[in-house]
């Protein structure tokens, strides 16, 4: 994660031993790496541009120059599927426990490690059956946005990103209260379509029926295509 963190969290830190990080230096670090290292994953969120590193930091010039120095060093950029196609697997990696990107131990603690986070998550996913039955596109869109991990990250017991992270709330409790207020409004919207008087078991049965109908329709369409194909060959 060093290369990613160099951009995410250290790029603007003038007290960092490698400051300033230039595109040339960044690509040179990759170029001089071990021959065994063929793929380098650089991962960061949009907050790396504008929040962690503003325009004055030179971050835009840095990204603009990366392709030039990559070409100079013979380094390619690739999407996941192209990387998979060009490289053979060297082994498998077993992960017994769920992992995340944040914190020293890379656990899920930054997102579901305290009562506030779990209360919010349980309330949110308690709506899953009803939302999945809804044909309301805006409702489903808001449902996805409410699952953004940042909401729960703000409720963590500590700031896992240190001084580089811009916390938008005064405290984890303020983050929790704000989220629950928004979620409360969302619950009302869901309830308007699927009243709480209707049990989840009944809704699950309905969802299964709809799913089965879709499968039957798909099989029938395939059978129609097959019969038409046979008829055209006669």
């Amino acid at each position: 994660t060093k290369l990613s963190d160099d951009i995410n969290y250290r790029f603007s830190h003038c007290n960092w031993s490698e400051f300033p990080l230039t595109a040339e230096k960044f690509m040179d670090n990759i170029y001089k790496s071990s021959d065994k290292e063929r793929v380098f994953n650089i991962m960061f969120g949009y907050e790396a541009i504008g929040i962690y590193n503003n325009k004055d930091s030179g971050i835009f010039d840095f990204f603009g120059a990366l392709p030039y120095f990559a070409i100079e060093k013979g380094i390619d950029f690739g999407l996941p599927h192209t990387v998979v196609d060009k490289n053979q697997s060297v082994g498998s990696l077993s992960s017994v426990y769920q992992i995340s990107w944040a914190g020293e131990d890379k656990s899920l603690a930054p997102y579901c490690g305290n009562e506030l986070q779990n209360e919010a998550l349980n309330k949110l996913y308690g709506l899953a059956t009803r939302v999945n039955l809804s044909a309301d596109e805006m409702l489903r869109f808001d449902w996805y946005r409410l699952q953004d991990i940042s909401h729960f990250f703000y409720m963590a017991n500590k700031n896992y990103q240190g001084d580089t992270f811009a916390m938008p709330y005064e405290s984890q409790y303020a983050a929790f209260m704000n989220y629950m207020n928004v979620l409360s409004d969302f619950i009302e919207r869901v309830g308007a379509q699927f009243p709480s008087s209707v049990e989840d078991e009944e809704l699950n049965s309905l969802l299964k029926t709809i799913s089965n109908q879709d499968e039957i329709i798909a099989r029938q369409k395939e059978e129609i295509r097959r019969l038409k194909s046979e008829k055209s060959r006669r």
Side-chain angles (χ1 to χ4, degrees), residues 28-212:
D28 198 49
N29 288 337
I30 294 177
Y31 180 75
K32 292 179 178 178
S33 297
S34 169
D35 291 339
K36 295 181 180 179
E37 301 291 340
R38 297 181 54 84
V39 178
F40 296 83
N41 296 307
I42 311 300
M43 297 169 284
F44 48 84
Y46 288 118
E47 64 271 13
I49 308 173
I51 296 180
Y52 298 158
N53 308 292
N54 59 33
K55 180 181 179 181
D56 294 336
S57 70
I59 190 69
F60 295 111
D61 294 331
F62 171 81
F63 280 116
L66 276 181
Y68 171 81
F69 289 104
I71 293 172
E72 187 179 76
K73 299 291 185 181
I75 298 171
D76 295 329
F77 292 95
L79 295 172
H81 72 90
T82 59
V83 172
V84 170
D85 291 341
K86 290 182 178 180
N87 296 274
Q88 291 185 341
S89 172
V90 296
S92 60
L93 178 64
S94 176
S95 179
V96 180
Y97 304 102
Q98 294 173 314
I99 59 176
S100 76
W101 179 261
E104 294 181 1
D105 59 357
K106 307 302 181 186
S107 70
L108 298 186
Y111 310 102
C112 56
N114 64 33
E115 292 183 6
L116 299 180
Q117 293 165 318
N118 287 312
E119 172 69 15
L121 286 164
N122 289 335
K123 285 284 187 182
L124 175 66
Y125 288 113
L127 302 169
T129 300
R130 286 169 162 75
V131 174
N132 287 332
L133 280 170
S134 176
D136 186 334
E137 291 187 5
M138 184 54 68
L139 187 78
R140 295 172 71 91
F141 179 68
D142 289 342
W143 161 253
Y144 295 133
R145 292 200 295 183
L146 283 167
Q147 296 177 64
D148 189 305
I149 60 172
S150 296
H151 300 309
F152 311 102
F153 190 80
Y154 297 147
M155 302 176 200
N157 290 333
K158 65 177 183 178
N159 186 348
Y160 284 89
Q161 302 293 15
D163 295 335
T164 61
F165 184 69
M167 177 67 172
Y169 299 99
E170 293 182 358
S171 69
Q172 66 196 87
Y173 302 103
F176 173 75
M177 292 303 298
N178 182 76
Y179 183 82
M180 294 306 286
N181 284 333
V182 174
L183 185 59
S184 177
D185 291 339
F186 184 77
I187 290 173
E188 289 186 9
R189 290 167 58 195
V190 174
Q193 296 188 25
F194 305 99
S196 57
S197 57
V198 181
E199 297 293 334
D200 278 354
E201 186 175 341
E202 184 178 346
L203 289 172
N204 274 319
S205 176
L206 178 59
L207 186 61
K208 185 176 181 180
T209 300
I210 293 173
S211 177
N212 290 339

Side-chain angles (χ1 to χ4, degrees), residues 210-225:
I210 293 173
S211 177
N212 290 339
Q213 288 176 342
D214 290 340
E215 292 177 3
I216 292 172
I217 292 172
R219 288 199 298 269
Q220 289 176 339
K221 287 183 177 179
E222 182 61 32
E223 180 66 12
I224 291 172
R225 282 195 294 268

